[in-house]
Amino acid sequence: MKLFKFTKDEDGAVTVDWVVLTAALVLVGGVVVSAIRGGMEDLASDINTQLSATSVS
């Protein structure tokens, strides 16, 4: 039956795989960024404090 030929066609399956893989990588990237954001802000604050306290003679 030609009406349901699309059910055996797997051309779009690869695209779906790539979309899911890309979404997973973006999610992991977001998790990594949010995990290190606080530490980087603390480090920047510490550097700012040290540089503000330093005087050049």
Side-chain angles (χ1 to χ4, degrees):
M1 192 171 206
K2 287 193 171 211
L3 181 62
F4 295 108
K5 180 183 176 212
F6 69 91
T7 59
K8 294 184 180 182
D9 189 13
E10 295 183 6
D11 289 341
V14 174
T15 303
V16 172
D17 290 344
W18 279 106
V19 168
V20 170
L21 180 62
T22 303
L25 288 174
V26 168
L27 180 66
V28 168
V31 168
V32 168
V33 166
S34 67
I36 65 171
R37 178 180 290 167
M40 292 302 293
E41 288 174 353
D42 291 343
L43 179 61
S45 176
D46 292 345
I47 290 172
N48 184 31
T49 302
Q50 289 295 325
L51 289 176
S52 296
T54 303
S55 64
V56 178
S57 15

